[in-house]
Amino acid sequence: MFKTEAIETEFASTPTEDRHARRNLGVAALIPALDPGEGLIALVHELHQVGFGPLILVDDGSDDSCGELFDVLASMPGVDVLRHAVTLGRGRALKTGLNHFLVNYPHCAGIVTVDADGKHLPADALSVAEMLLRDPNKLVLGCRVFGDCGPWTSKLANIFTRAMFRFFAGKRISDTQTGLRGIPRSAIPQMMALDGERYEFEMGMLVNSSKFADDIVEQPIRTIYSKGHRPDHFKPLLDSMRVAFVLARFYLSSILATSVDFGIFALAYRISGNLLGSLILSRFVAGGLINFAVNRSFVFHNSSRVRTALLKFYVLLTFSSAVSFFLLRTLLDATGWNVLLCRLLVDGSLSLINFSIQRTFVFSKAPAAARDEQLLHADAETLTQGIE
């Protein structure tokens, strides 16, 4: 049995005029929950008090013993409880809540996702909501300040995914796995269409953020790990692999475009036997244009002028083709191996370098946006130092 009577009495005893006089942010809170502890009731009450409304809870197939807890939450004013019959995963729970938000609350500016395990303080959730209201077209991340507290597995997983995200997406985010996020209303329809039913959904949200948000901004928050909080359901190895796969797909889109280049080269070389001519044909004609189109539209989601990006792309292509031809010729002369195997080895070795240069040089943001991003990160670092 959950000891909820005291909490219910405390909420009911709050003067009606005080509850109605509280600040209304116009921002909803969304809490996905799986087998939560009693502290969830206090968290919901405090979120309500600082101005969140409505509050949407998604029971992701919790144990039957949690039924009384969710009944209490459902009876609280301004709280909607949605239930999955079975556990479908954090990503699916978030999508369920986001859909409910869009259908039922058309006047709210956005929504803040909050973990059910007590790691997020209502004051920090409020800071994220206020930043969302100031920048209504940007995705806001409540980024934890990692110190001595917290399990090493969480720290290691965050370092791993942060490094991968930095390389593949070209953005520096201090906490890729934070569950405290401010999501603008305009971003939700496209966000709900993203793949992923578990923790990888949230990484997909970051990878594809340029599709539905102007930028990502950070709000430093405190990291709460205490014995009274239920552990989260993140499995460091399995869920980190799922998250890594989201980032790998980001890179594999570029690899698929490069495979077209390789196929054209193989066919041209078989017909002509001319190494340089086959390389030029595959790189600068069909293969190059396909690579450009795929990377611009599906990998980097670049919106700069096509003429400018195409010029940069062919400058890079000229340089990389010269390096590739030199290494290919050298490897063929030194080993006598099959030309297709040699090109596969050479271009495979250069692919990560080419990807990185395309990300930062060819398909980079406009200068103004880049300056804005640097200023935002500088502000986040200043706030972080203040918390420390």
Side-chain angles (χ1 to χ4, degrees):
M1 295 284 291
F2 286 99
K3 300 177 182 179
T4 56
E5 293 182 3
I7 298 175
E8 287 183 273
T9 302
E10 178 184 351
F11 182 79
S13 63
T14 303
T16 302
E17 59 272 17
D18 289 347
R19 294 206 304 269
H20 286 244
R22 70 182 180 85
R23 177 188 179 190
N24 190 337
L25 294 171
V27 176
L30 168 59
I31 307 176
L34 174 60
D35 299 329
E38 296 177 56
L40 180 57
I41 294 179
L43 173 63
V44 169
H45 173 60
E46 291 170 11
L47 289 172
H48 180 84
Q49 289 301 105
V50 298
F52 282 97
L55 290 96
I56 303 169
L57 279 77
V58 182
D59 169 15
D60 188 28
S62 298
D63 188 82
D64 290 342
S65 62
C66 297
E68 182 182 349
L69 172 64
F70 283 108
D71 288 342
V72 170
L73 289 164
S75 68
M76 295 172 68
V79 178
D80 298 343
V81 175
L82 313 176
R83 292 183 173 177
H84 290 169
V86 297
T87 302
L88 299 177
R90 180 180 173 88
R92 174 49 58 184
L94 289 171
K95 292 177 184 178
T96 296
L98 292 172
N99 181 74
H100 181 80
F101 169 77
L102 284 180
V103 171
N104 294 282
Y105 301 104
H107 302 300
C108 285
I111 194 165
V112 173
T113 62
V114 183
D115 286 353
D117 55 12
K119 290 192 182 74
H120 298 149
L121 297 177
D124 287 330
L126 176 60
S127 296
V128 169
E130 289 173 339
M131 181 172 281
L132 175 63
L133 291 172
R134 288 196 300 270
D135 296 308
N137 295 317
K138 297 179 181 179
L139 178 64
V140 183
L141 301 183
C143 294
R144 297 165 290 179
V145 179
F146 287 95
D148 296 330
C149 63
W152 67 269
T153 51
S154 295
K155 295 179 184 178
L156 187 62
N158 188 64
I159 291 172
F160 172 70
T161 55
R162 186 174 62 195
M164 290 191 66
F165 184 81
R166 171 65 174 166
F167 176 80
F168 289 118
K171 297 179 181 179
R172 184 183 62 182
I173 294 177
S174 60
D175 187 3
T176 57
Q177 297 180 325
T178 177
L180 183 58
R181 303 182 178 198
I183 305 173
R185 182 182 190 86
S186 59
I188 295 177
Q190 293 185 72
M191 190 178 291
M192 288 177 57
L194 298 175
D195 293 333
E197 301 298 290
R198 299 184 183 275
Y199 286 91
E200 71 273 16
F201 169 70
E202 290 174 294
M203 178 56 73
M205 188 189 300
L206 301 182
V207 169
N208 294 279
S209 61
S210 59
K211 292 182 179 179
F212 46 73
D214 289 347
D215 206 345
I216 298 175
V217 293
E218 296 185 346
Q219 170 63 44
I221 63 172
R222 284 151 287 189
T223 309
I224 308 299
Y225 288 99
S226 68
K227 295 181 180 178
H229 293 141
R230 289 283 185 93
D232 60 32
H233 299 273
F234 182 82
K235 301 177 179 61
L237 180 59
L238 183 60
D239 287 318
S240 290
M241 289 177 63
R242 288 194 178 104
V243 169
F245 182 67
V246 173
L247 292 169
R249 284 191 301 178
F250 191 59
Y251 174 60
L252 287 174
S253 298
S254 181
I255 291 294
L256 290 174
T258 304
S259 66
V260 175
D261 176 349
F262 186 81
I264 295 172
F265 171 82
L267 180 61
Y269 185 77
R270 182 172 182 177
I271 294 173
S272 67
N274 187 307
L275 182 64
L276 180 59
S278 300
L279 187 63
I280 291 175
L281 177 66
S282 64
R283 281 290 179 90
F284 289 88
V285 189
L289 288 174
I290 293 174
N291 196 315
F292 173 83
V294 170
N295 286 354
R296 182 175 186 271
S297 300
F298 301 106
V299 177
F300 299 107
H301 309 295
N302 181 262
S303 58
S304 62
R305 295 178 60 187
V306 174
R307 182 182 302 176
T308 302
L310 193 61
L311 177 61
K312 292 180 179 180
F313 180 79
Y314 272 98
V315 168
L316 171 62
L317 203 58
T318 301
F319 176 75
S320 64
S321 296
V323 173
S324 177
F325 178 75
F326 172 76
L327 294 176
L328 181 58
R329 185 75 270 172
T330 301
L331 185 60
L332 282 170
D333 293 341
T335 64
W337 292 346
N338 178 275
V339 65
L340 297 182
L341 174 61
C342 289
R343 178 158 187 209
L344 187 63
L345 292 172
V346 168
D347 284 1
S349 302
L350 296 175
S351 62
L352 289 175
I353 298 174
N354 283 330
F355 182 89
S356 180
I357 295 175
Q358 285 192 41
R359 185 201 68 214
T360 57
F361 174 66
V362 179
F363 300 111
S364 61
K365 293 180 179 179
R371 287 194 300 270
D372 185 51
E373 182 178 12
Q374 292 173 357
L375 289 172
L376 288 168
H377 284 306
D379 289 342
E381 289 177 358
T382 301
L383 288 171
T384 302
Q385 293 171 358
I387 290 177
E388 291 176 335

